[in-house]
Structures are given as C-alpha cells and as structure tokens.
Amino acid sequence: MRQDFPRFRRLRQEEGLRRLVQEVRLSPSQLVLPLFVAEGVTKKEPIPSLPGHFHWSPEAVVEVAEEAYSLGIPAVLLFGLPAEKDEVGSGAYSHGGVVQRALRELRKKVPGLLLMADVCLCQYTTHGHCGLVEGGKVVNDPTLPLLGQTALSLAEAGAHVVAPSDMMDGRVGIIREVLEQKGFADVVILSYAAKYASAFYGPFREAAHSAPAFGDRRTYQMDPGNRREALREIEEDLREGADMILMKPAGPYLDVIHEARARFDIPLGAYQVSGEYAMIRAAAERGWLDGEKAMEESLLGIARAGADFIVTYFALEAARKLR
Ligand code: PBG
C-alpha cells in the first residue's frame, strides 16, 4: 500500500547513500590554522587556555606549519607576542618583529603554504587596545597610519594575505593604498569586517596576552545584537578594497554569515574563535560530549551557513579526521 507521506528515512539507511546525498561537505582545503609566534620562547611552550596549541619560536613554527600543509591545510594565520610592549605598539610594524621573522622563515621553508598575518595592535600595546589611546579613549584616525605600516611590514616579510582585525573605521582603504604604492598590489586583504565584541575571545586574550588593561572593546567592536550593521561594515570594507571578508565569532553568528553569503558574491571566511574551541574541548574533557563529533558538527554548521573557509583551532585535528 502506498503511503501518503514521503519516506525521508529511505535515503538514510546506508552509509553510502548518506554520503552521496550529503549537501555540504568539509575538506581540509577549507581550513585555516591560527598560530602564535612568541619572542623569547626556545622552541615551543603549551598555551594553557588553548589545549593542543603552543607559543612557537619564529624558527620552530616551521614544524607545525609543515604538518598543516602536509595534511592538506592550505593556509595559516599568524599572531605575534612581542618581547616588549609600548604605547604605540611598535612591535607590530618593526622589521625584526616576531611575526615578520616567522614569515621570512616560513616563506623559505614551507613553499606553497599560504601565509596570512593578523593586523592589529592589541598584542603590542601596553594598554592592550587595538588602536592608539589618547585621554583614555581609543582614537581612530591616528591609528590608521600604524595599521598601514603594519600591513606593509608584514607584506615585505612575505605575507600573502593581511587580515586587519582592529575594527578601526577606514583601515582597509589605508592598507590598500599603502600596499599599492609600495609595490604589493598582489597582497590580499582579508578584512574582519564583522567582528563582534565577544566574550568568546577569552582564551585567545590569555594566549596572546592581549586583554585590554582598562575598559573593553565595545567602542570599536560590534554589538552582538546587530545584524544589519554587519552588512554595512562588509559593504564598506569591500568598497575600500577588501578581497575577502572574515566573520567573527562564527557559531553564535550563523545568521549573519548566512545573510552575508546571500548578499555579497565575495569569498567569505568565518573564524571559529578560541572560546568556541574551548567550550567543545572542555566539555569533551569532562566526558559531557563527544569532542570529535561536536568538532565536526560545529564546522559543518559554519560551512552550511555559507562560509567558504573556516579559521579554526581544530584545523589539524579536523584535517586528520577528514583525510
Ligand atoms: C586581535 C584579535 C582577537 C582575536 C583575533 N584577533 C582578540 C580580540 O579582539 O580581543 C580573537 C580570536 C580568538 O578568540 O580566537 N584584535
């Protein structure tokens, strides 16, 4: 007898069928591995707030970058921890800066690997803010030339992609202009266009020693309640010359990723941030959920929402599993 309801379950009976009809698939080619390079580290030191991750010396980071590349991960995103901080974040744009040194090593030793570098001042300033501070306020325009200088110095050291994460207004335009003028027209700008003032950055700030010394980041990062504003931020960054957009965090903002995907025909990345990673890791450690399955499901959700690529602390683990 014919039923008057569809048998959805028919296509779920065999592993082979389930694989054939899966709509969104993950591959190591979608993953970007964040890496921390630190001054004064001999080889590597574990990061307590990010289990499985390390502070690498600019030389030793080659080891993990090679591993990532051999697992099919196309790109790494570098963050730096300088030996010394100052009011103006000079470590971010100095020729001998820790990320600049790592970039030169990686360019030589891991050809083929795409090198992305974060552009921001917060790890390099004594006050821990992403821009210059004047009279207790984070000031926009005086910060812009320093961000331009940072992007240029990263490009000179070998970055293929610069990723401004500071959320100052107008920074993409300045960075594009500086890169064009100085002969780096091919350097890609991946703009963290929609970056929310999020509690999920907690473990990163411990890892990067970049927590603000006073106040918070709500005068420059976005309010978690805002979706339309994210679209305006993206539109503007594209107008100023961004090639690709990064949304951050990912998991709690899937609606924004989805909407951005629908509106803009540009490559779109999402950053599954440190707190998203920490939640899954911590729950798995307690035996409260299956860490591997939760990892895969969280990444799949981000891809399904519309992200072309995902920056994730799970990159190595996920790539191993997906191969
Ligand atoms: C620097 C920056 C932060 C992150 C990436 N770039 C921290 C912040 O804005 O406080 C967070 C990444 C993560 O949590 O994994 N501005």
Side-chain angles (χ1 to χ4, degrees):
M1 213 215 349
R2 212 184 133 84
Q3 301 295 328
D4 65 350
F5 51 81
R7 291 204 180 273
F8 291 121
R9 293 186 52 199
R10 197 179 285 133
L11 294 179
R12 296 176 192 153
Q13 298 307 309
E14 297 294 331
E15 173 67 20
L17 272 171
R18 288 192 295 267
R19 279 168 55 196
L20 282 178
V21 304
Q22 186 169 26
E23 295 172 33
V24 172
R25 296 182 170 100
L26 291 172
S27 122
S29 295
Q30 284 162 286
L31 306 174
V32 178
L33 174 67
L35 290 173
F36 297 90
V37 287
E39 207 85 70
V41 165
T42 312
K43 188 168 171 278
K44 63 173 185 178
E45 282 167 15
I47 302 177
S49 62
L50 286 170
H53 286 264
F54 298 86
H55 288 139
W56 296 92
S57 75
E59 295 77 31
V61 74
V62 167
E63 183 188 305
V64 63
E66 269 169 351
E67 188 189 353
Y69 191 58
S70 70
L71 285 167
I73 296 169
V76 296
L77 173 59
L78 297 178
F79 295 94
L81 286 85
E84 274 165 28
K85 303 176 188 241
D86 59 28
E87 287 288 298
V88 293
S90 6
Y93 40 89
S94 85
H95 178 79
V98 67
V99 172
Q100 285 82 350
R101 281 168 52 208
L103 285 167
R104 284 186 213 105
E105 284 290 313
L106 290 167
R107 262 282 175 139
K108 262 191 297 189
K109 308 239 170 94
V110 201
L113 181 68
L114 188 79
L115 304 177
M116 303 181 161
D118 187 74
V119 176
C120 196
L121 301 186
C122 62
Q123 289 108 263
Y124 304 91
T125 51
T126 39
H127 44 73
H129 278 289
C130 304
L132 291 176
V133 172
E134 283 169 20
K137 280 189 132 185
V138 178
V139 289
N140 195 86
D141 298 12
T143 302
L144 299 179
L146 300 185
L147 295 169
Q149 223 175 308
T150 303
L152 175 62
S153 118
L154 294 166
E156 281 169 348
H160 302 99
V161 179
V162 292
S165 71
D166 51 280
M167 289 298 279
M168 297 301 121
D169 292 321
R171 85 259 204 236
V172 172
I174 289 254
I175 291 173
R176 177 54 80 213
E177 192 184 318
V178 174
L179 292 176
E180 287 279 341
Q181 276 173 5
K182 302 287 181 174
F184 293 98
D186 283 343
V187 168
V188 169
I189 300 179
L190 166 62
S191 171
Y192 293 67
K195 175 170 176 181
Y196 288 89
S198 171
F200 292 100
Y201 306 149
F204 173 97
R205 289 182 191 169
E206 242 173 82
H209 306 159
S210 67
F214 66 90
D216 53 41
R217 303 211 200 288
R218 287 183 298 170
T219 66
Y220 42 104
Q221 297 179 350
M222 286 180 42
D223 187 309
N226 294 359
R227 185 176 46 81
R228 294 191 304 263
E229 189 186 3
L231 302 170
R232 291 177 56 220
E233 283 271 8
I234 295 170
E235 196 166 27
E236 175 58 17
D237 282 7
L238 292 174
R239 193 189 65 79
E240 287 179 30
D243 303 287
M244 309 195 288
I245 295 296
L246 196 60
M247 316 285 289
K248 171 181 183 180
Y253 297 90
L254 295 182
D255 59 323
V256 188
I257 295 173
H258 182 255
E259 179 104 18
R261 169 73 302 148
R263 280 246 204 138
F264 302 102
D265 292 325
I266 35 100
L268 188 67
Y271 196 144
Q272 182 181 49
V273 299
S274 57
E276 298 177 70
Y277 172 79
M279 283 195 299
I280 293 175
R281 285 294 300 238
E285 254 167 48
R286 293 191 170 200
W288 289 350
L289 46 71
D290 179 329
E292 243 189 36
K293 291 213 173 84
M295 162 186 84
E296 205 172 347
E297 188 175 331
S298 67
L299 293 171
L300 207 48
I302 296 165
R304 195 189 58 240
D308 297 308
F309 59 93
I310 306 170
V311 183
T312 173
Y313 299 93
F314 284 122
L316 289 173
E317 254 171 285
R320 264 184 226 118
K321 174 132 199 267
L322 292 168
R323 271 190 359 147

